[in-house]
């Protein structure tokens, strides 16, 4: 599912207003990316849950395997991983946030009580596991938060801990798939594109469909990729409606008075609770997407051949 973090915000227009201390100078009407918005509602829509589980099932994880969830968050994927590897397999997980490791372990006890999981606090840039420890690594909704150098380092770490012939599977949101209707269908994408020249996070969100190239450059073989579009049609599920009206409202507030046409384009979405909000209409619609890329850690013979 799309994780809409550090959403773009147009800068305030030049004038007598004083920016908060420490705020870097920006060009009027230039979108910036800042703040942090997370939404458990988003992942728990029916469409979102089905899409996430379907993506995991596409990886090719087999019964009896030892699998790592790198950046496990609150553990949504762990019960599904346990089901895929079965009683003869094992599941490990890491997250750099201590609170998430506690939640992930509790989630596993609740939803897969018969399957133990090793959950540790660690960073995907420096995994605490030996080389060739796993048959596969799964990493979802993490890499969009890394700059290009960190992405290369993370993919090398994920590859390092997987045995030759094992799988590295990574999933990120596909920002290019996001659209809301009725209204300007390109307002989200245009916002990110306008921010990208000066904002690393916007560029990272737009990098998703290049994942296949990053995996190949890391040395992974047999790389394949698939992008899935997830659609929410009126009447939107309460969780999806709550999440997307809130996100749209925040961006509309940030766009006020900034010029560049942003105010007009976001105005219909300003009041998240409005009865006439576009997403509450009978034509309300949101699309989002995820990109899944999978590569195989080459065997020594394969490396020699190349």
């Amino acid at each position: 599912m799309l994780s809409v973090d550090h959403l773009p915000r147009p800068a305030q227009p030049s004038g007598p207003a004083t920016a908060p201390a420490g705020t870097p100078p920006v060009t009027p009407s230039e979108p910036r990316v800042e703040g942090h918005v997370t939404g458990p509602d988003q992942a728990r829509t029916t469409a979102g849950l089905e899409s996430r589980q379907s993506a995991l099932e596409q990886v090719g994880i087999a019964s009896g395997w030892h699998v790592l969830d790198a950046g496990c968050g609150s553990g949504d994927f762990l019960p599904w991983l346990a089901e895929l590897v079965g009683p003869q397999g094992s599941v490990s997980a890491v997250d750099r946030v201590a609170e998430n490791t506690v939640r992930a372990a509790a989630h596993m006890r609740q939803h897969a009580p018969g399957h133990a999981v090793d959950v540790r606090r660690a960073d995907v840039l420096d995994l605490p596991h030996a080389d060739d420890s796993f048959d596969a690594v799964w990493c979802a909704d993490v890499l969009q938060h890394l700059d290009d150098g960190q992405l290369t380092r993370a993919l090398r770490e994920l590859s390092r801990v997987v045995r030759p012939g094992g799988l590295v599977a990574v999933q990120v949101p596909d920002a290019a798939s996001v659209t809301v209707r009725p209204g300007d269908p390109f307002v989200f994408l245009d916002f990110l594109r306008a921010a990208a020249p000066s904002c690393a996070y916007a560029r990272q969100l737009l990098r998703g469909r290049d994942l296949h190239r990053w995996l190949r450059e890391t040395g992974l073989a047999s790389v394949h990729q698939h992008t899935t579009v997830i659609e929410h049609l009126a009447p939107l599920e309460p969780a999806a409606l709550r999440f997307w009206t809130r996100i749209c409202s925040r961006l509309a507030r940030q766009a006020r008075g900034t010029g560049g046409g942003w105010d007009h384009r976001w105005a219909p979405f300003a009041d998240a609770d409005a009865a006439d909000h576009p997403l509450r209409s009978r034509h309300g619609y949101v699309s989002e997407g995820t990109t899944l890329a999978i590569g195989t850690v080459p065997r020594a013979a394969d490396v020699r051949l190349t």
Side-chain angles (χ1 to χ4, degrees):
M1 293 290 291
L2 175 69
S3 177
V4 190
D5 297 339
H6 305 289
L7 290 166
R9 186 186 72 168
Q12 295 298 318
S14 56
T18 302
T23 300
V26 294
T27 303
S29 302
E30 173 189 283
R32 297 176 54 205
V33 174
E34 66 176 35
H36 184 73
V37 179
T38 57
D41 291 341
Q42 182 188 31
R44 286 168 174 76
T45 63
T46 300
L49 288 170
E50 290 176 351
S51 174
R52 289 159 72 89
Q53 188 167 14
S54 174
L56 189 56
E57 291 170 350
Q58 294 177 43
V59 174
I61 295 170
S63 176
W65 277 16
H66 185 193
V67 178
L68 173 68
D69 186 346
C72 65
S74 57
D76 283 349
F77 288 102
L78 295 180
W80 296 333
L81 286 168
E83 182 178 351
L84 289 173
V85 302
Q88 302 305 314
S90 59
V91 178
S92 297
V94 297
D95 197 276
R96 68 186 183 92
V97 179
E99 184 179 358
N100 282 346
T101 64
V102 174
R103 289 177 176 175
H107 187 74
M108 199 59 178
R109 287 192 298 270
Q110 179 181 358
H111 296 281
H115 205 296
V117 61
D118 173 27
V119 183
R120 306 186 197 180
R121 183 182 182 187
D123 196 302
V124 297
L125 301 178
D126 187 19
L127 294 170
H129 306 93
D131 295 0
D132 307 341
S133 293
F134 302 97
D135 298 294
V137 165
W138 168 257
C139 181
D141 295 326
V142 173
L143 301 184
Q144 72 269 21
H145 300 291
L146 307 181
D147 64 29
D148 289 354
Q150 291 170 328
L151 175 60
T152 296
R153 180 177 169 187
L155 290 174
R156 287 174 179 167
E157 270 294 273
L158 298 179
S159 302
R160 178 186 67 79
V161 300
V162 174
R163 63 167 173 80
L167 301 174
V168 174
V170 295
Q171 183 186 57
V172 296
D174 176 47
S177 298
V178 178
T179 183
V180 290
R181 302 170 188 255
D184 182 344
F186 304 109
V187 67
F188 266 93
L189 182 57
D190 286 353
F191 218 47
L192 289 172
R193 291 176 62 190
S198 60
C199 176
Y201 186 69
R203 293 194 298 274
Q204 290 155 207
L205 282 175
L206 294 169
R207 187 181 57 190
R209 295 199 192 186
D210 291 326
L211 269 183
H212 62 95
R213 175 173 63 83
W214 291 88
L215 267 63
R216 289 192 180 97
E217 291 180 352
T218 302
L220 295 170
S222 302
V223 173
H224 55 286
Q225 179 171 298
H226 179 68
T227 297
T228 301
V229 174
I230 305 159
E231 297 177 293
H232 308 276
L233 280 69
L236 273 66
E237 288 187 53
L241 183 65
R242 194 161 49 241
F243 180 83
W244 286 104
T245 53
R246 187 179 71 221
I247 293 301
C248 292
S249 176
R250 173 173 176 172
L251 290 181
R253 290 195 305 270
Q254 292 171 343
R256 286 175 186 159
T258 59
W262 294 115
D263 197 346
H264 172 74
R265 296 174 74 181
W266 283 108
F269 303 96
D271 185 355
D273 298 318
D276 61 349
H277 191 286
L279 294 182
R280 288 191 174 86
S281 79
R282 65 190 184 92
H283 300 301
Y285 173 91
V286 177
S287 69
E288 55 182 315
T290 59
T291 296
L292 170 67
I294 306 167
T296 301
V297 177
R299 296 179 172 85
D302 297 331
V303 174
R304 287 196 297 271
L305 288 175
T306 58

